[in-house]
Every structure is written in C-alpha cells, then in structure tokens.
Amino acid sequence: GNSVTQMEGPVTLSEEAFLTINCTYTATGYPSLFWYVQYPGEGLQLLLKATKADDKGSNKGFEATYRKETTSFHLEKGSVQVSDSAVYFCALGLSNTGNQFYFGTGTSLTVIP
Amino acid sequence: DSGVTQTPKHLITATGQRVTLRCSPRSGDLSVYWYQQSLDQGLQFLIQYYNGEERAKGNILERFSAQQFPDLHSELNLSSLELGDSALYFCASSVAGDRENEQFFGPGTRLTVL
C-alpha cells in the first residue's frame, strides 16, 4: 500500500541548531513528495516539493532530497529560528486514482531562544 | 493566504445533527480535496473532486457526502453527527489532478459536536 512514516515528535531545539526530520515512504508507482508546515491555528502550507528521484526541494533554508533508493525525503535546515516552530508534515502524491495525498502523522517542532 | 476559503470557521452542534461545510477553491483550480484532522487519527484524506466529478475516495464515512458544483465550489455534508466527528476539516485545491500539483489548503472549519 501507500504510506508515509514520519519521525515522531515533539522535537525541541535551541535557536541556530541543525534540524533533521526523517520521512520514509512506501508507494505503488512514482510519487511526488512534499513537506507541508502548519503554524498554530492555521491550515497547511506547502514548504517544498520534489517530483522525481534525486530532485532537491528547497525553501526558506529548508531542504529535502528525493531518495528513491532509500525511499526517503528527510527535511533539513542548517540553523533553525524561533519562527520555525510549527508542525511539519511529509506527504506523497500519487496519480493512480486522482491525486490522492498520503500524509505522515506530523512532527511538532519547538525552537527555544 | 492560500486563496482557498472555507466557511464557517467554527461550528458547534449536537449529536445526531447535520451540517454543511463549504469550500471555494483558488481561482483556476479544478480539483478540490477534503481532509479531516483529529488528534488521534492525524490528517485523513476523505474525498477528491475534479471539475464536478468524484475522482478519489479515502476514509470517508457513509454518513458523510460531498459534491462539487459547476462554479467549482464544494460542500461537505456531515449527517447523524457523533462526538467522534469533532475535528478540523480542511479543504484543499489544486490546478489539476496530477501527482505533481501541490495542494493549497484552506484555513479549516473546526467542528465541535456536543
């Protein structure tokens, strides 16, 4: 089946620390991969995406590389800020039937000054 | 602002009742998706419509139904409500139905069933 497994949280980091949130997936077919971010009280916002193997998505200092050999799409940021505190969701999109998205359970990140 | 609007923002109702949630997609987007977010189940895909037609179905209960109208707005109908239906309901839209198209999410409707 299709699924996304995400690193469990919550994660607490000090400002300027390095961030990694692990994400692995199983998929029938060739998925696109996404990271979404949800700030308190808001909807999900697209953070970055990659549509094929070895693609690197990047935005606002965050990066993730589509690794087909390890079926992974880990999110990284070199130096986190307090404003990065949010819940991060890894997702895969498939076109087998429509464009169904499968989301991970979300990882809550808190950055402390 | 994603360009996706959802109304109402909050809804409080009683068990056994029926409610309708409304979603307007981004201008030009043909595809609409509905999700349920709850603490115990995370973000669950419910259903997708593309240009008025049902395209994909996820974990949607029989008590729930949806439709997409000619102007592309969508409604999610929840009936015979139970306490466990209390959740955040998100609508999302995308340009088409391809796997490459990111989905843009609305701010959500928080449903509380008492």
Side-chain angles (χ1 to χ4, degrees):
Chain A
N2 304 305
S3 66
V4 174
T5 302
Q6 228 180 292
M7 168 178 161
E8 291 208 11
V11 174
T12 303
L13 294 173
S14 297
E15 207 165 20
E16 297 183 4
F18 184 85
L19 168 72
T20 300
I21 301 178
N22 290 338
C23 170
T24 56
Y25 68 90
T26 57
T28 54
Y30 300 96
S32 292
L33 299 173
F34 304 83
W35 276 101
Y36 280 81
V37 58
Q38 185 178 29
Y39 297 102
E42 297 183 14
L44 279 71
Q45 300 173 26
L46 178 68
L47 182 59
L48 53 84
K49 73 173 187 179
T51 58
K52 61 183 188 298
D54 300 325
D55 267 4
K56 179 188 274 189
S58 60
N59 185 26
K60 299 181 183 178
F62 290 90
E63 290 183 342
T65 301
Y66 189 142
R67 301 277 186 212
K68 191 177 174 189
E69 62 277 13
T70 54
T71 62
S72 65
F73 193 55
H74 304 322
L75 182 68
E76 296 182 338
K77 186 174 186 183
S79 175
V80 293
Q81 305 300 312
V82 171
S83 57
D84 294 327
S85 298
V87 181
Y88 292 82
F89 292 89
C90 184
L92 69 86
L94 284 169
S95 285
N96 297 347
T97 51
N99 187 24
Q100 185 166 341
F101 268 34
Y102 298 83
F103 281 88
T105 51
T107 301
S108 174
L109 169 67
T110 301
V111 180
I112 53 177
Chain B
D1 184 353
S2 67
V4 178
T5 59
Q6 287 185 250
T7 55
K9 202 165 184 174
H10 300 280
L11 202 45
I12 301 174
T13 188
T15 53
Q17 295 298 305
R18 172 189 168 95
V19 297
T20 298
L21 313 184
R22 184 189 166 102
C23 168
S24 293
R26 292 188 322 154
S27 176
D29 284 359
L30 298 177
S31 222
V32 169
Y33 312 78
W34 286 98
Y35 293 88
Q36 179 192 59
Q37 186 179 39
S38 60
L39 281 174
D40 56 341
Q41 299 231 333
L43 196 61
Q44 299 279 317
F45 167 73
L46 296 178
I47 197 164
Q48 178 202 1
Y49 278 82
Y50 177 76
N51 205 20
E53 303 275 332
E54 182 184 303
R55 186 85 173 254
K57 222 166 181 176
N59 301 320
I60 188 165
L61 299 172
E62 283 193 14
R63 300 184 285 109
F64 296 180
S65 65
Q67 53 185 325
Q68 186 179 27
F69 295 87
D71 67 352
L72 300 176
H73 91 272
S74 178
E75 292 181 357
L76 179 67
N77 300 296
L78 315 176
S79 61
S80 303
L81 285 168
E82 302 174 0
L83 295 177
D85 298 327
S86 296
L88 256 177
Y89 291 84
F90 286 108
C91 168
S93 72
S94 67
V95 169
D98 298 333
R99 65 176 181 87
E100 298 175 352
N101 301 131
E102 61 263 34
Q103 297 181 16
F104 294 85
F105 281 74
T109 292
R110 182 170 291 282
L111 173 66
T112 302
V113 183
L114 301 175

